[in-house]
Amino acid sequence: MEAVMGEPVSEMCDHLIKAVNVMMDAESSQIYRLEALKFCEEFKEKCPFCVPCGLQLADKAQTAVVRHFVLHIYICHLGTYPILEEESHIKDVLARIIVEMIKREWPQHWPDMLKEMEALTSIGEAQTELVMMILLRLAEDVITFQTLPAQRRRDIQQTLTQNMDSIFSFLLTILQLHVDEYRKLAKAHCRVGVAALNTLAGYIDWVALAHLTNDNCRLLEMLCLLLSETELQLEAAECLLIAISRKGKLEDRKPLMVLFDDVAMHYILSAAQSADGAATLVGVVERHYIFLKRLCQVLCSLGSQLCYLVGSDVEVDVPTNLSKYTEAFLAFTTHPSQFLRSSTQITWGTLFRHEILSKDPVIIQTMIKYFRTTMTNLVKTGFPSKNDSPSCEYSRHDFDSDEDFNSFFNSFRAQQGEAVRNACRVVPLEGFQIAAEWLQYQISTPIDIGTTGCTCCFLTVAHTEDLGRGGRVCVCVCVCVMVNVSVGNSAPRTRAVKNVRRHACSSIIKMSRDYPWFILPCFDMLYNQVKKLFSDEALLTQMEKCALIEALVLISNQFKDYTKQKAFLEDMYTHTIHTELCVYTHTHTLYTLNCVCTHTHTH
């Protein structure tokens, strides 16, 4: 071999062709075949002309036997930089070339391909990562994208399925080995671990569920362990999500309940609690945020599987660790990200209406916690354009504009309403009590009038301290009517401001119609403020003027005194005579109706 090393590339290629033909010729003697094999092995290991010879012998002019042999050697042993230095796209190209060879030669003409791939991993981390990429691309081409003729696809898929026990065993061994080395701070092994997880993700979606639950669910348990490894947790969560989301017969999915065991649930809970209330101080780290989204999806899928299995024919009991699961899930319902909060709602609704789970003491206690969480989650905060909430920064990652966020939040609020209704069917008293507490809190909380200009035209906070519960409700609503107004303010109102004022007008009319006695004690105060508002034509729209007048007239029906009500209506008519005709007509009609009603009542 050493004598040949100095010869030109063309002569080296001639020697290599002869050696390959001797090895493949059935008539060759054992001695010649062994010598040829030795020559080829030394060529692979020592020849400095490996790359140029490979390129020359891969030409279409060569025989299929020579091209196959040389391509196999050339690709698998093509020189690359160390694993941490080589560009990913270079390795991806190498992997795809080998996959093209596999698609044409395996298993008929390359029966030992899997064994050779396994042997290749013993050379080093770079080769191991390349093998992981090869197996992943092969699964993608055969199963996901189906980029080969139907018959070849069936042949390869059948062979993959037949060898899946050994493939999964091989992948898990590689993953375990390199995760252990990664924990010793070897970054190269981390890259291999990521590659192994990505490869597993390409197989978990379609292999038989038995492969995922073999050896007492070793794979699933290992994936749970990796949720605590910063560099591997995202890929581990991806694999876990694919596994838990699998469909199929219920009896095949029953082993997935192993994730409710102590070890698995401990790591899931720990990873989830890292998200609980994690308001960022240094900005949202995108990779970690994506991991949280995947982990939230994992818990959602796990909850769905639980609802499918409990109460079914496969006889799955309510897990003893259900409280840890609900604790982990609540961590996402209280996270600053509005997107994460919304992602949990459908699963909560499913749990709360489940015939068996909804009656479990753990779920019942969770409903009460959910009620209290929802009290704050119903408040619309986190607009991308603002910085008044920890939710805002997360929203900037999830939404393009305030309009986009607003549309999302309307759907989110509806989902919460559905979950609350399901829970209230189980614990109606607790739901009512918590709602009452929240209403009482809102009523008793001083109004923040901010910089809207309400001080010059409506009540200050100090004025409300002397009012009963009815001044407070009325004040809350009327301040909403006055949002963004002040004397002399003629700036155009935003759509959001218009919506707030419109809803406030509807609310004050409804309260005055249905609960007039509630507001009656503060009638004089309310009327005086309305007259101030009417003093400036620019402060109110015609619709808002109509609403306030109608509300006052409706409340005045509770006077039960014809003379007093007549005096009020005459006074109001005097102060509103300068308004537009529509307001006058509306008021005049109410005046007539109310006088008749009151007169009839008093006589």
Side-chain angles (χ1 to χ4, degrees), residues 133-376:
M133 297 174 74
I134 291 169
L135 293 177
L136 173 58
R137 302 305 176 216
L138 178 62
E140 289 177 341
D141 285 0
V142 174
I143 307 298
T144 308
F145 305 122
Q146 302 184 4
T147 59
L148 65 169
Q151 184 57 49
R152 286 298 300 144
R153 184 178 66 82
R154 284 193 292 269
D155 289 345
I156 295 175
Q157 182 173 351
Q158 183 179 9
T159 309
L160 279 172
T161 302
Q162 292 170 349
N163 290 274
M164 198 52 65
D165 282 338
S166 60
I167 291 175
F168 256 70
S169 177
F170 166 63
L171 292 176
L172 287 178
T173 300
I174 292 295
L175 181 60
Q176 183 69 66
L177 171 65
H178 290 278
V179 166
D180 291 342
E181 292 298 324
Y182 157 69
R183 286 171 173 160
K184 299 175 184 176
L185 301 181
K187 293 297 183 182
H189 293 286
C190 174
R191 289 283 293 272
V192 178
V194 169
L197 288 167
N198 287 335
T199 303
L200 279 168
Y203 284 80
I204 291 175
D205 188 39
W206 60 273
V207 301
L209 277 169
H211 295 298
L212 309 184
T213 55
N214 272 346
D215 194 14
N216 197 27
C217 293
R218 178 189 170 205
L219 169 62
L220 298 180
E221 186 172 286
M222 186 181 297
L223 292 174
C224 290
L225 293 175
L226 294 180
L227 294 177
S228 62
E229 301 291 345
T230 304
E231 299 295 331
L232 301 172
Q233 59 183 190
L234 175 56
E235 290 75 16
E238 295 273 10
C239 289
L240 204 54
L241 176 59
I242 297 171
I244 300 175
S245 301
R246 286 287 302 269
K247 306 299 182 184
K249 297 180 180 179
L250 291 179
E251 55 265 29
D252 293 335
R253 289 189 265 171
K254 183 176 180 179
L256 294 175
M257 292 299 99
V258 72
L259 293 173
F260 283 96
D261 288 352
D262 288 334
V263 175
M265 191 51 63
H266 166 75
Y267 283 97
I268 292 175
L269 177 59
S270 297
Q273 286 178 332
S274 71
D276 189 11
T280 180
L281 297 177
V282 294
V284 177
V285 178
E286 185 173 7
R287 177 180 169 85
H288 182 64
Y289 187 31
I290 295 174
F291 163 67
L292 294 181
K293 290 181 178 179
R294 295 297 175 271
L295 184 59
C296 183
Q297 289 176 292
V298 165
L299 289 169
C300 289
S301 296
L302 190 56
S304 297
Q305 294 287 17
L306 181 67
C307 291
Y308 278 124
L309 294 170
V310 172
S312 69
D313 294 337
V314 296
E315 298 181 354
V316 172
D317 295 328
V318 177
T320 56
N321 275 332
L322 185 59
S323 60
K324 288 186 177 180
Y325 169 80
T326 57
E327 185 179 352
F329 206 36
L330 273 172
F332 288 98
T333 312
T334 58
H335 190 275
S337 165
Q338 296 285 19
F339 181 87
L340 288 178
R341 294 179 185 179
S342 70
S343 298
T344 65
Q345 299 305 316
I346 293 178
T347 304
W348 282 130
T350 304
L351 287 169
F352 294 162
R353 67 171 175 264
H354 192 274
E355 185 177 356
I356 296 175
L357 291 170
S358 63
K359 299 178 177 63
D360 187 89
V362 171
I363 297 297
I364 291 176
Q365 289 302 312
T366 302
M367 290 178 183
I368 298 173
K369 294 178 182 178
Y370 177 83
F371 283 147
R372 298 195 179 280
T373 298
T374 302
M375 288 193 303
T376 55

Side-chain angles (χ1 to χ4, degrees), residues 12-77:
M12 175 62 72
C13 289
D14 291 338
H15 286 290
L16 191 59
I17 291 172
K18 291 177 182 178
V20 172
N21 288 329
V22 167
M23 285 194 302
M24 303 303 294
D25 189 354
E27 302 296 327
S28 299
S29 66
Q30 184 70 12
I31 296 177
Y32 285 141
R33 187 177 287 111
L34 290 175
E35 288 182 355
L37 179 60
K38 180 181 178 182
F39 176 83
C40 290
E41 291 299 322
E42 290 181 350
F43 170 81
K44 290 190 295 183
E45 295 176 3
K46 300 179 181 179
C47 181
F49 307 135
C50 183
V51 173
C53 285
L55 290 172
Q56 184 171 323
L57 294 177
D59 189 84
K60 291 183 179 180
Q62 301 295 338
T63 64
V65 171
V66 171
R67 290 177 62 211
H68 175 271
F69 177 81
V70 173
L71 281 173
H72 176 58
I73 295 175
Y74 173 55
I75 295 299
C76 291
H77 294 274

Side-chain angles (χ1 to χ4, degrees), residues 21 186 375 475 578-579 591-592:
N21 288 329
M375 288 193 303
V475 167
H578 300 295
T579 60
Y591 171 83
T592 303

Side-chain angles (χ1 to χ4, degrees), residues 254-536:
K254 183 176 180 179
L256 294 175
M257 292 299 99
V258 72
L259 293 173
F260 283 96
D261 288 352
D262 288 334
V263 175
M265 191 51 63
H266 166 75
Y267 283 97
I268 292 175
L269 177 59
S270 297
Q273 286 178 332
S274 71
D276 189 11
T280 180
L281 297 177
V282 294
V284 177
V285 178
E286 185 173 7
R287 177 180 169 85
H288 182 64
Y289 187 31
I290 295 174
F291 163 67
L292 294 181
K293 290 181 178 179
R294 295 297 175 271
L295 184 59
C296 183
Q297 289 176 292
V298 165
L299 289 169
C300 289
S301 296
L302 190 56
S304 297
Q305 294 287 17
L306 181 67
C307 291
Y308 278 124
L309 294 170
V310 172
S312 69
D313 294 337
V314 296
E315 298 181 354
V316 172
D317 295 328
V318 177
T320 56
N321 275 332
L322 185 59
S323 60
K324 288 186 177 180
Y325 169 80
T326 57
E327 185 179 352
F329 206 36
L330 273 172
F332 288 98
T333 312
T334 58
H335 190 275
S337 165
Q338 296 285 19
F339 181 87
L340 288 178
R341 294 179 185 179
S342 70
S343 298
T344 65
Q345 299 305 316
I346 293 178
T347 304
W348 282 130
T350 304
L351 287 169
F352 294 162
R353 67 171 175 264
H354 192 274
E355 185 177 356
I356 296 175
L357 291 170
S358 63
K359 299 178 177 63
D360 187 89
V362 171
I363 297 297
I364 291 176
Q365 289 302 312
T366 302
M367 290 178 183
I368 298 173
K369 294 178 182 178
Y370 177 83
F371 283 147
R372 298 195 179 280
T373 298
T374 302
M375 288 193 303
T376 55
N377 284 357
L378 285 170
V379 179
K380 186 183 293 186
T381 58
F383 282 93
S385 65
K386 298 182 180 179
N387 289 298
D388 56 357
S389 165
S391 300
C392 295
E393 186 166 0
Y394 288 96
S395 293
R396 283 190 280 274
H397 282 259
D398 295 320
F399 307 103
D400 295 328
S401 63
D402 284 358
E403 290 74 16
D404 191 19
F405 171 81
N406 198 56
S407 176
F408 149 83
F409 198 89
N410 290 338
S411 175
F412 173 31
R413 185 173 282 168
Q415 290 173 342
Q416 292 181 89
E418 179 64 23
V420 167
R421 281 190 290 273
N422 289 329
C424 284
R425 294 187 182 101
V426 182
V427 285
L429 180 59
E430 290 82 353
F432 182 83
Q433 288 175 337
I434 292 174
E437 290 175 16
W438 186 242
L439 179 60
Q440 180 62 44
Y441 169 78
Q442 293 292 338
I443 291 174
S444 61
T445 300
I447 300 170
D448 181 8
I449 58 175
T451 57
T452 62
C454 296
T455 50
C456 67
C457 63
F458 212 76
L459 299 174
T460 63
V461 174
H463 289 156
T464 68
E465 296 303 320
D466 297 327
L467 299 177
R469 185 177 301 175
R472 292 183 186 273
V473 174
C474 189
V475 167
C476 286
V477 176
C478 288
V479 166
C480 292
V481 177
M482 299 307 106
V483 166
N484 202 38
V485 303
S486 61
V487 177
N489 180 14
S490 58
R493 297 166 187 166
T494 65
R495 181 178 177 181
V497 168
K498 290 178 181 178
N499 285 339
V500 170
R501 292 168 64 120
R502 178 170 55 85
H503 286 299
C505 287
S506 299
S507 297
I508 198 168
I509 290 175
K510 187 171 183 179
M511 285 192 299
S512 300
R513 182 193 68 203
D514 298 341
Y515 309 101
W517 61 88
F518 196 65
I519 308 175
L520 185 62
C522 59
F523 176 84
D524 291 339
M525 175 198 67
L526 178 61
Y527 182 37
N528 289 333
Q529 298 304 322
V530 168
K531 286 192 288 188
K532 290 182 181 179
L533 291 173
F534 272 86
S535 66
D536 190 326

